[in-house]
Amino acid sequence: MALVSGWGRFPVVDTEMLRPRSFEAVGRAVADVTGSVARGNGRAYGDAAIGAARTIAMTAFDRVRSFDPATGRIRLEAGVLLSDLIDTFGPRGFLPFVVPGTRFVSVGGAIAADVHGKNHHSEGGFGRYVDSLLLRTGAGETIEASRDRNSDAFFATIGGMGLTGMILEATMRLRPVVSGWIRERVISASDLDAALRALDASDSATYSVAWIDCVARGRNLGRSLIYLGEHAGRDELAKGAEMFPVGKAPGLAVPVDLPSITLNRYSIGAFNELYYRMGVRRAGGQHVVSLYPYFFPLDSLSDWNRIYGRRGFLQHQCVIPEAGARAVLGDILDRVARRGDASFLAVLKKLGHGDGLLSFPLPGYTLALDFPVKDDILDFLDEIDRLVVAAGGRLYLAKDARQSRATFEAGYPALARFKAIRKSLDPAQNIRSKLSQRLFDEV
């Protein structure tokens, strides 16, 4: 047995860890014990990738089976990391269509969470570019699932948090690119209204994301920096620049768990003030930047989750439908600002329609906030959940570690259909995670 947590380091769970080396061994591991789930690189924040009894690490399955440069179609095993995919195929002129905020996630994990990036408003989520899956079900079958074959299993697996079976392989499409650089434009917004207007006016941009100051209050509530991006062409690069920059390993690390007092209203306020002023200086012009800092700003700092201390942190990521979003987002940010201990990296983005039955995105705005685990934080987040539910929104399962069943059920109207498909694939519910015990499974 081993003590295991997600990236947020909360909760910490005792589970059996297995690291199979063959697909046959994966099948045996699922059949042996009721309560297994697959785990990629451990970047889900909460308890989604921790088995109720057994956790099956898929990182050994890291081979590319085939690649067609004429179409960008690639078949690969589920344990391949996006970082390896980018480093290997980027110099050949191909990148994933969708990447989340870290490149250190597995392909299987990206499919299971239907991860979204800075381009969801314009190009959708990760699952949109997956053509087919090889899935080991809880009933012991290995099936090929696609939009045309076993389509129920396919759309339940996209965003299904690993609960339909073990993703073994996937066939997906990569984006052709000229370079590994992004043409970035920065817009400063003095308050939440200006930030929302800037995001709305930037719907034609391929990539858009806002850093939002979650400590600012009063007339500065919701002040933001909006980062727009497009893939840069050869003629936009500096003379002598590499066409595809090298993805460097994290150069800095957080060596110890920081004291809980480190993150407070004053330290976060000082950081946010400096960050905002630096962003304002860059606003207005265009800059060509490497894809790594644009898409993965925190990847340069190893073990950054230790900033929040030994008890870990909770990320609250919600999506609010466009109608009425301004009032709800303003209410949330005001409560967070008055509390004073939220993240120095808060993110606001626009989303479109999701593709899977349990995919998180819906047309509207998503707000992601990190909070150190403290004695009163669960009650505070329950308050925020009630605002989200009343607005017709929901929480992101890949980031969740504590929402209630009532909150979850209110936010996912396709849940009944998902449960029926899951039961057909796994009648005995051999595949169960700590998340499914909390939110899905019969008590």
Side-chain angles (χ1 to χ4, degrees):
M1 302 295 284
L3 292 175
V4 179
S5 70
W7 185 247
R9 305 174 74 198
F10 176 90
V12 179
V13 177
D14 201 11
T15 182
E16 181 186 11
M17 284 290 297
L18 289 187
R19 302 181 185 278
R21 307 290 298 183
S22 68
F23 289 163
E24 292 75 15
V26 171
R28 290 194 298 271
V30 173
D32 284 350
V33 173
T34 299
S36 299
V37 79
R39 182 181 179 90
N41 203 36
R43 290 302 178 112
Y45 279 45
D47 52 5
I50 304 173
R54 173 179 286 173
T55 303
I56 302 174
M58 301 293 286
T59 49
F61 305 108
D62 60 357
R63 293 172 295 181
V64 172
R65 297 291 194 177
S66 64
F67 175 65
D68 182 357
T71 62
R73 185 167 280 107
I74 187 169
R75 187 173 183 91
L76 68 177
E77 293 176 342
V80 173
L81 299 184
L82 294 190
S83 57
D84 294 331
L85 199 59
I86 292 167
D87 292 346
T88 301
F89 290 93
R92 303 182 187 185
F94 293 91
L95 291 173
F97 271 92
V98 174
V99 293
T102 174
R103 67 190 191 274
F104 299 123
V105 299
S106 68
V107 167
I111 294 169
D114 192 19
V115 297
H116 56 274
K118 298 173 175 62
N119 57 335
H120 197 279
H121 68 287
S122 60
E123 296 183 318
F126 197 89
R128 187 166 297 181
Y129 303 95
V130 175
D131 292 335
S132 66
L133 300 166
L134 190 66
L135 188 71
R136 178 77 180 201
T137 72
E141 295 182 284
T142 299
I143 64 172
E144 189 93 21
S146 68
R147 287 169 175 80
D148 302 317
R149 183 180 181 189
N150 294 314
S151 60
D152 279 353
F154 180 82
F155 287 108
T157 300
I158 302 294
M161 303 312 297
L163 298 174
T164 60
M166 304 287 169
I167 301 171
L168 304 177
E169 293 183 359
T171 300
M172 53 185 281
R173 286 159 283 147
L174 299 180
R175 177 202 301 274
V177 295
V178 174
S179 77
W181 299 83
I182 300 294
R183 183 174 70 254
E184 177 189 75
R185 182 162 68 95
V186 182
I187 301 171
S188 63
S190 59
D191 57 26
L192 180 59
D193 288 320
L196 295 178
R197 285 196 300 270
L199 287 171
D200 289 343
S202 303
D203 278 344
S204 62
T206 302
Y207 301 106
S208 67
V209 63
W211 167 86
I212 190 163
D213 184 352
C214 57
V215 178
R217 298 178 63 183
R219 63 192 179 118
N220 292 325
L221 181 74
R223 68 176 181 176
S224 304
L225 298 169
I226 295 89
Y227 296 89
L228 309 180
E230 304 291 340
H231 289 277
R234 186 185 302 270
D235 59 343
E236 297 177 83
L237 306 187
K239 185 176 181 180
E242 296 268 354
M243 289 301 296
F244 201 91
V246 176
K248 298 179 181 178
L252 297 173
V254 181
V256 297
D257 298 333
L258 297 186
S260 58
I261 197 174
T262 304
L263 294 181
N264 56 61
R265 180 184 303 276
Y266 305 104
S267 63
I268 297 174
F271 175 88
N272 285 6
E273 183 66 30
L274 177 62
Y275 191 87
Y276 182 73
R277 290 186 181 186
M278 290 174 62
V280 169
R281 292 194 193 104
R282 297 185 67 225
Q286 296 194 84
H287 317 269
V288 176
V289 299
S290 164
L291 70 90
Y292 295 98
Y294 184 80
F295 291 120
F296 317 117
L298 285 177
D299 279 354
S300 61
L301 183 62
S302 181
D303 298 326
W304 62 261
N305 52 354
R306 303 187 76 172
I307 291 173
Y308 292 92
R310 178 180 54 83
R311 298 179 67 182
F313 74 99
L314 295 163
Q315 183 168 112
H316 188 280
Q317 183 168 3
C318 65
V319 58
I320 308 294
E322 289 188 51
R326 166 60 182 86
V328 178
L329 290 171
D331 193 352
I332 292 173
L333 288 171
D334 183 63
R335 293 175 189 233
V336 171
R338 284 188 277 117
R339 182 178 174 86
D341 64 349
S343 173
F344 53 87
L345 185 65
V347 175
L348 179 68
K349 291 186 290 194
K350 288 192 75 173
L351 299 179
H353 289 282
D355 290 281
L357 293 181
L358 293 187
S359 291
F360 165 69
L362 53 78
Y365 303 91
T366 179
L367 177 66
L369 301 163
D370 294 344
F371 299 88
V373 174
K374 296 181 178 180
D375 293 340
D376 65 340
I377 188 61
L378 297 180
D379 289 340
F380 176 76
L381 292 180
D382 285 344
E383 293 177 17
I384 303 302
D385 288 354
R386 287 191 282 272
L387 298 176
V388 173
V389 169
R394 57 189 179 217
L395 305 186
Y396 189 17
L397 293 175
K399 303 292 182 68
D400 177 56
R402 36 65 50 194
Q403 72 173 299
S404 69
R405 286 194 178 212
T407 297
F408 169 62
E409 291 171 355
Y412 286 85
L415 179 59
R417 185 180 171 203
F418 174 85
K419 285 183 174 181
I421 296 169
R422 181 189 176 204
K423 187 173 183 179
S424 72
L425 296 170
D426 183 14
Q429 283 196 358
N430 286 332
I431 297 174
R432 303 175 72 181
S433 65
K434 287 296 181 181
L435 179 143
S436 76
Q437 281 189 317
R438 180 165 53 88
L439 299 178
F440 291 78
D441 301 334
E442 298 299 326
V443 179

